[in-house]
């Protein structure tokens, strides 16, 4: 055990720090859930890619840096410290990208990955359906192979698809075998969102902005070369994506450490008011401790994995830990802000409340998306602890 | 950056675990509850034979010269079996303390510890009572900022019964004098000893929590109600998941604290306090949820759960109670300096 960074790791940190200092926009970008903000974030992805900082974990041949998990953690620390923009193409870079590298044909990789990397194509994820939320295997949207065998004819509906309002592409699972049940007979298909027969209906989220959307498919013709993996193998391919999603990449510890830092500062600046509620101080130091615990645990796992270890069902604890931490931290900020907590940022009396309210609203979704925390607890009990299913 | 244990450390853990699980059974623990001293000389001799009691004694004095990182996984396993012998306290607290005292004192005691001929334990004012004082050949006792070394003949012990029948606590009456004094201005040594004690308690709390989970998972697989194993009920599953999560996120915190103590990190005290809070909290949740899924069985003396539950309750407030440790973290985080935020964890 040696908890010091190597000179190479330190140099890597310096390099990204310097680049970010020179390139992070001085003015925060508009929300990527607006047309203008989406475009700004797309341009930011292009800039990151120019500096080869967009996909640090991708292989060098694909425009990445072949960064290992420790370097990735360092990158994220610097990225969040610098207050750099959120990643509009998170779904592509961290979920679909690695899945494509594992299951894609050479042609698919050559066609899709570069455009994903430079922000030309932003990806949405289409798994959920009105009847298939936690029960993802209940997917009913169909894809039927055409008689000529050249394309799938897709019909059905996806929902809650993040970024889909302005995204260019969507990856999803569709039922190719009409007689199949549950997770059999599903196929992973990559659908350009500009195809005829597609209707995207924006859904406003709690903040009123259309952060996700419903996607309707009406006899949409998708070329067969847009199938990822074999027909009927969709579940297996999707689980690889879910593995990445549940794993380390979705939410890096740095994000929560920075929220904890801002919370500590908010407390220090409003100490007198905050201490009127005696539980606030404890909540603040807990936020710090839990963000550190998430970081330490992630580093320990990352070190184990880089030395050839495997990630097991204990990774299901990850989603619960960060999402509930995020909720608690924002609740604490609301307590400190007191009567001003409910004010929207542009309200005249909202001076100094920062973007805590936005964060508070978004924190409510953490325990829901990417597999609800109830589902995660089921997985922990059954697969990690070995409790009986039936 | 390497946050893993090496192969030797993992192998040693496996071996020691096997030994402890075989020897330190709930039956043995219950037998010792009935005995006068509550301790087993035979078991201690076995620990000596395995080299465990002298692990942290420097090689020059006949020990294995190992450090806190080498021992922390073993301390977890001591918790897993609720080991009654004061192994963790000697290895993690007494030996390093002796090792920072003058050479003559070291030369007198460390070889005897390494050879298994002497047991030395430490009594700090934070703990009020001294655990296993009846079992020690030498006690190192705090008196304000001083440390004193006293032998069994120099003390009067008054037994105080603990909720955990395995714990043997004593008020120690003695007369401090120039001849018993071994260190003046010893505040730093005393704090270091407290940190090591807290680290040992935290590591044991991890093992205790793991054991309570395993007992509960087994019990809920066997026990049937409404025609099915109660472990199939989601309310029962989620109770156990709610123990697994904090346990999973306390481990690395404890391991980092061990590393910080071993290298003398400038923030070792804060890291230890964090570890103590995280691990003990996990064990308290472990106790609460485990007794609940056991139903009335969990509320009995007969079922083994309470062996582990009671130790967890007791450890929570030893080597600094939760107020002490929370305040240490608070002064670090809420003070002048900017100590929170990304990229600062390993500074
Ligand atoms: C901000 C946000 C972004 C999202 N982005 C995407 C996206 O990009 N692509 C996409 O495909 N989906 C996305 N989702 C959808 C998300 O994956 C689903 O919301 C989630 O899987 C839960 O499904 P549901 O909403 O239908 O809830 P339901 O499944 O109806 O669950 C409702 C409640 O019942 C509980 N419940 C259900 N089943 C069980 C069970 N077996 N045991 C215990 N409790 C149970 C749940 O835990 C939950 O509390 C997003 C959701 C949110 C909030």
């Amino acid at each position: 055990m040696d908890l010091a960074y190597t000179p190479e790791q330190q140099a890597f940190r310096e390099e990204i720090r310097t680049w970010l200092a020179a390139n992070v926009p001085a003015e925060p970008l508009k929300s990527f859930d607006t047309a203008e903000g989406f475009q700004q974030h797309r341009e930011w992805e292009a800039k990151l890619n120019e500096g080869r900082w967009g996909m640090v974990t991708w292989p060098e041949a694909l425009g990445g840096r072949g960064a290992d998990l420790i370097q990735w953690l360092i990158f994220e620390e610097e990225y969040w410290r610098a207050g750099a923009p959120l990643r509009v193409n998170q779904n592509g870079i961290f979920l679909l990208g690695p899945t494509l590298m594992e299951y894609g044909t050479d042609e698919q990789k050559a066609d899709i990955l570069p455009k994903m990397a430079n922000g030309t194509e932003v990806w949405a994820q289409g798994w959920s359906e009105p009847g298939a939320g936690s029960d993802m295997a209940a997917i009913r949207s169909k894809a039927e192979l055409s008689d000529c065998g050249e394309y799938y004819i897709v019909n059905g509906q996806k929902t809650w698809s993040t970024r889909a309002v302005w995204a260019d592409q969507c990856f999803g699972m569709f039922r190719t075998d009409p007689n199949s049940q549950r997770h059999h007979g599903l196929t992973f298909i990559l659908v350009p969102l500009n195809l005829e027969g597609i209707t995207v209906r924006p859904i406003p989220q709690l903040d009123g902005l259309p952060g996700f959307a419903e996607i309707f498919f009406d006899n949409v013709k998708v070329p067969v070369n847009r199938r990822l993996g074999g027909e009927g193998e969709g579940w297996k391919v999707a689980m690889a994506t879910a593995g990445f999603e549940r794993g380390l990449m979705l939410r890096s510890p740095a994000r929560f450490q920075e929220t904890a830092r801002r919370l500590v500062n908010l407390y220090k600046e409003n100490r007198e008011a905050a201490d009127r509620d005696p539980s606030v101080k404890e909540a603040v130091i807990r936020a710090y401790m839990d963000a550190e615990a998430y970081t330490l645990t992630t580093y320990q796992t990352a070190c184990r994995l880089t030395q050839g270890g495997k990630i097991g069902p204990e990774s299901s604890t990850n989603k619960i830990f960060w999402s509930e931490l995020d909720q608690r931290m924002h609740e604490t900020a609301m307590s400190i802000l007191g009567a001003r907590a409910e004010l929207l940022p542009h309200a005249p009396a909202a001076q100094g409340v920062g973007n805590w309210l936005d964060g508070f609203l978004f924190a409510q979704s953490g325990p829901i998306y990417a597999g609800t925390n109830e589902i995660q607890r089921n997985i922990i009990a059954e697969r990690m602890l070995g409790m009986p299913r039936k | 950056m390497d946050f893993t244990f090496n192969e030797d450390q993992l192998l040693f853990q496996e071996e020691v675990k096997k030994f402890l699980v075989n020897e330190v059974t709930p039956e043995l623990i219950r037998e010792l509850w009935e005995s006068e001293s509550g301790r087993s000389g035979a078991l201690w001799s076995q620990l000596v034979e395995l080299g465990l009691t002298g692990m942290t004694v420097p090689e020059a004095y006949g020990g294995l010269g190992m450090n806190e990182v080498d021992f922390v996984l073993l301390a977890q396993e001591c918790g897993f079996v609720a080991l009654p012998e004061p192994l963790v306290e000697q290895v993690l607290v007494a030996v390093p303390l002796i090792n920072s005292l003058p050479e003559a004192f070291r030369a007198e005691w460390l070889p005897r510890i390494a050879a298994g001929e002497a047991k030395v334990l430490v009594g700090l004012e934070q703990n009020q009572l001294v655990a296993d004082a009846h079992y020690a050949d030498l006690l190192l006792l705090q008196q304000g900022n001083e440390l004193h070394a006293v032998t069994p003949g120099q003390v009067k012990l008054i037994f105080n019964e603990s909720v955990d029948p395995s714990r043997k606590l004593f008020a120690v009456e003695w007369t401090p004098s120039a001849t018993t004094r071994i260190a003046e201005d010893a505040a730093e040594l005393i704090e270091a000893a407290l940190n090591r004690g807290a680290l040992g308690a935290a590591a044991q709390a991890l093992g205790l929590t793991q054991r309570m989970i395993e007992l509960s998972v087994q019990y809920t697989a066997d026990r049937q109600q409404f025609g099915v194993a109660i472990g199939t009920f989601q309310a029962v599953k989620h109770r156990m998941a709610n123990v697994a999560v904090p346990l999973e996120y306390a481990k690395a915190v404890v391991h980092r604290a061990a590393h910080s103590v071993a290298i003398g990190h400038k923030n070792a005290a804060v890291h230890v306090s964090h570890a103590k809070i995280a691990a003990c909290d996990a064990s308290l949740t472990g106790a609460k949820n485990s007794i609940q899924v056991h139903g009335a069985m969990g509320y009995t003396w007969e079922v083994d759960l309470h062996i582990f539950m009671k130790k967890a309750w007791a450890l929570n407030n030893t080597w600094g109670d939760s107020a002490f440790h929370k305040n240490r973290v608070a002064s670090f985080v809420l003070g002048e300096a900017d100590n929170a935020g990304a990229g600062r964890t390993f500074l």
Side-chain angles (χ1 to χ4, degrees):
Chain A
M1 191 175 294
D2 174 7
L3 302 185
Y5 293 104
T6 63
E8 290 77 26
Q9 287 165 340
Q10 265 157 353
F12 181 80
R13 186 188 288 285
E14 279 308 315
E15 197 184 344
I16 171 66
R17 185 177 287 185
T18 309
W19 189 87
L20 288 168
N23 289 281
V24 170
E27 276 290 299
L29 307 186
K30 294 231 159 63
S31 163
F32 52 24
D33 295 331
T34 63
E36 190 190 347
F38 194 90
Q39 185 54 30
Q40 289 176 340
H41 281 79
R42 202 196 270 282
E43 285 158 16
W44 169 249
E45 287 297 325
K47 186 162 214 171
L48 273 173
N49 188 54
E50 264 168 47
R52 276 202 316 124
W53 290 112
M55 345 265 122
V56 288
T57 53
W58 287 19
E60 290 188 28
L62 294 169
R65 289 173 182 254
D68 66 14
L69 286 170
I70 301 299
Q71 285 174 312
W72 176 71
L73 289 166
I74 293 170
F75 168 81
E76 287 282 309
E77 285 165 3
E78 294 305 318
Y79 195 86
W80 283 93
R81 263 179 78 133
L86 294 171
R87 306 296 299 271
V88 70
N89 208 6
Q90 172 115 12
N91 281 330
I93 299 162
F94 297 113
L95 300 185
L96 182 60
T99 309
L100 255 174
M101 289 175 214
E102 194 174 338
Y103 290 98
T105 62
D106 289 342
E107 196 192 345
Q108 284 173 332
K109 288 189 232 180
D111 174 39
I112 296 171
L113 291 171
K115 286 183 260 175
M116 183 188 287
N118 65 20
T120 316
E121 288 185 352
V122 175
W123 285 81
Q125 171 178 276
W127 284 354
S128 303
E129 296 182 3
S134 296
D135 186 9
M136 207 165 87
I139 282 174
R140 283 168 51 192
S141 294
K142 311 183 283 197
E144 235 177 318
L145 201 56
S146 65
D147 292 339
C148 61
E150 283 171 18
Y151 46 83
Y152 286 106
I153 302 166
V154 177
N155 279 288
Q157 179 189 352
K158 294 290 176 182
T159 191
W160 316 128
S161 189
T162 299
R163 309 281 98 75
V165 178
W166 290 286
D168 310 282
Q169 301 275 346
C170 168
F171 59 95
M173 263 202 291
F174 299 88
R175 200 161 287 284
T176 38
D177 176 356
N179 300 316
S180 64
Q181 295 284 325
R182 309 290 302 154
H183 49 276
H184 303 286
L186 296 171
T187 299
F188 202 116
I189 300 178
L190 313 171
V191 188
L193 285 171
N194 61 1
L195 293 184
E196 211 180 302
I198 291 181
T199 310
V200 176
R201 192 184 75 84
I203 307 175
Q205 296 182 328
L206 279 190
D207 63 359
L209 296 176
F212 45 32
E214 284 177 297
I215 309 175
F216 298 91
F217 302 86
D218 182 13
N219 287 319
V220 178
K221 290 181 185 169
V222 186
V224 280
N225 67 6
R226 303 285 295 182
R227 185 185 70 218
L228 182 54
E231 192 168 289
E233 285 182 5
W235 188 265
K236 190 179 86 187
V237 181
M239 282 305 107
T241 314
F244 292 117
E245 173 159 328
R246 269 201 303 266
L248 301 178
M249 296 284 168
L250 181 66
R251 291 288 178 260
S252 73
R255 176 187 188 123
F256 305 105
Q257 287 186 296
E258 281 302 294
T259 307
R261 183 182 61 75
R262 290 192 297 116
L263 183 65
V264 164
N265 289 341
L266 185 72
Y267 173 81
K268 285 185 190 172
E269 286 155 16
N270 297 277
R271 197 157 194 156
E272 214 173 303
D275 280 342
R276 289 179 307 126
D277 175 349
S279 69
V280 163
K281 182 174 165 186
E282 164 148 27
V284 174
I285 63 163
R286 281 209 179 262
Y288 163 78
M289 286 192 288
D290 289 347
E292 288 301 301
Y294 184 47
T295 307
L296 290 164
T297 307
T298 304
Y299 264 90
Q300 195 165 46
T301 306
C303 287
R304 216 164 40 72
L305 294 182
T306 43
Q307 293 179 19
K310 289 232 156 36
I311 200 149
E314 76 280 359
S315 66
S316 283
T317 58
N318 169 300
K319 162 75 200 314
I320 294 175
F321 196 81
W322 64 250
S323 61
E324 296 180 4
L325 164 62
D326 199 40
Q327 251 183 344
R328 284 194 305 274
M329 290 196 288
H330 285 91
E331 284 162 6
T332 305
M334 296 289 109
S335 296
I336 296 175
L337 291 173
R340 290 185 301 151
E342 66 173 296
L343 296 180
L344 296 188
H346 57 260
Q351 279 292 322
V353 302
N355 53 1
W356 284 106
L357 181 63
D358 255 352
F360 173 78
L361 293 179
F362 187 56
Q364 306 314 309
S365 70
I368 300 170
Y369 64 76
T372 71
N373 288 11
E374 286 73 28
I375 297 295
Q376 304 295 343
R377 285 184 164 88
N378 293 346
I379 295 173
I380 291 169
E382 290 165 10
R383 297 193 211 149
M384 178 178 168
L385 305 181
M387 295 180 78
R389 241 161 244 221
K390 289 221 160 66
Chain B
M1 175 65 58
D2 178 9
F3 204 162
T4 61
F5 292 93
N6 64 34
E7 226 162 282
D8 287 346
Q9 289 163 334
L10 293 171
L11 268 175
F12 203 13
Q13 176 190 21
E14 212 172 291
E15 260 173 50
V16 168
K17 177 169 190 165
K18 221 179 288 163
F19 165 81
L20 290 172
V21 169
N22 277 333
E23 299 295 326
V24 189
T25 58
E27 294 71 44
L28 175 73
I29 288 175
R30 286 172 186 276
E31 237 172 75
L32 293 175
W33 286 353
E34 303 303 321
S35 74
E36 172 76 26
S37 73
R39 296 293 170 261
S40 158
L43 182 55
W44 186 264
S45 306
Q46 284 174 296
L47 297 172
V48 170
E49 250 165 66
L50 285 168
L52 293 174
T53 54
M55 257 192 84
T56 50
V57 173
E59 280 166 299
Y61 298 105
L64 298 179
M66 293 187 171
N67 70 15
E68 290 77 4
V69 176
D70 298 310
F71 189 70
V72 68
L73 294 175
L74 308 188
Q76 286 176 216
E77 301 308 338
C78 294
F80 186 79
V81 299
L83 178 69
E85 306 289 311
L87 178 70
V88 175
E89 291 73 12
Q90 169 163 303
V91 173
L92 225 43
V93 187
V95 169
L97 180 58
I98 296 173
N99 204 35
S100 42
L101 291 170
E103 164 60 20
F105 192 77
R106 271 187 277 172
E108 184 184 352
W109 286 98
L110 291 179
R112 294 182 59 197
I113 290 175
E117 290 158 7
K119 290 188 278 294
V120 182
L121 292 169
V122 176
L124 301 186
E125 287 169 0
Q126 280 270 6
N127 280 339
Q128 295 184 25
L129 300 170
V130 183
D132 291 296
H134 67 312
Y135 199 48
D137 300 293
L138 184 76
L139 289 171
L140 301 177
L141 301 175
Q142 177 189 1
Q143 169 86 1
N145 274 343
E146 298 178 350
L147 280 171
H148 293 253
V150 295
T151 54
Q154 295 171 301
V155 298
K156 185 173 160 230
L157 301 180
I158 300 136
F159 180 55
N160 284 257
E161 206 167 349
S162 160
V163 62
D164 173 4
S166 285
R167 275 171 71 75
K168 301 295 171 195
L169 299 174
F170 297 89
V172 181
E173 285 177 7
W174 56 293
T175 317
S177 69
T179 45
T180 59
R181 186 171 59 224
I182 44 163
E184 293 173 275
D185 301 326
E188 263 177 50
L189 296 185
I190 291 164
E191 200 198 347
L194 181 72
N195 287 339
R196 289 198 164 85
L199 173 65
Q204 290 180 83
L206 294 180
L208 286 164
T209 312
Q210 182 64 36
R211 186 63 171 270
M212 289 188 278
I213 289 177
E214 289 181 20
L215 287 173
S216 302
V217 167
Q218 187 61 50
Y219 182 79
T220 58
D222 296 341
R223 166 74 175 163
Q224 298 222 340
Q225 281 294 277
F226 302 97
V228 293
I230 57 170
T232 60
F233 299 134
Q234 206 168 56
V236 172
K237 285 182 180 165
H238 287 196
R239 277 209 179 253
M240 297 326 297
N242 287 344
V243 184
V245 174
L247 174 60
E248 202 55 29
Y249 285 87
K251 290 175 187 168
V253 180
V254 174
H255 299 160
R256 195 268 300 262
H259 182 266
S260 294
V261 170
I263 66 164
H265 192 285
K266 64 180 190 295
N267 298 326
V270 178
H271 298 166
V272 165
S273 283
H274 182 187
K276 180 78 171 15
I277 296 165
C280 286
D281 278 1
S283 74
L284 295 184
T285 307
K288 185 158 58 181
N289 288 4
S290 295
I291 188 172
Q292 185 66 20
V293 304
H294 275 77
M297 280 293 183
Y299 193 65
T300 65
W301 194 269
E302 277 76 30
V303 169
D304 290 334
L305 175 66
H306 77 125
I307 295 174
F308 307 95
M309 201 159 61
K310 287 173 174 170
K311 182 143 191 168
W313 288 334
L315 288 183
N316 182 46
N317 286 314
T318 60
W319 304 104
D321 57 17
S322 70
F324 171 83
H325 290 292
K326 281 179 192 167
N327 279 310
R328 271 210 316 203
V329 176
S331 25
F332 178 73
V333 181
L334 305 178
E336 291 276 292
D338 234 350
N339 283 320
R344 295 202 159 97
T345 303
F346 296 105
L347 289 186

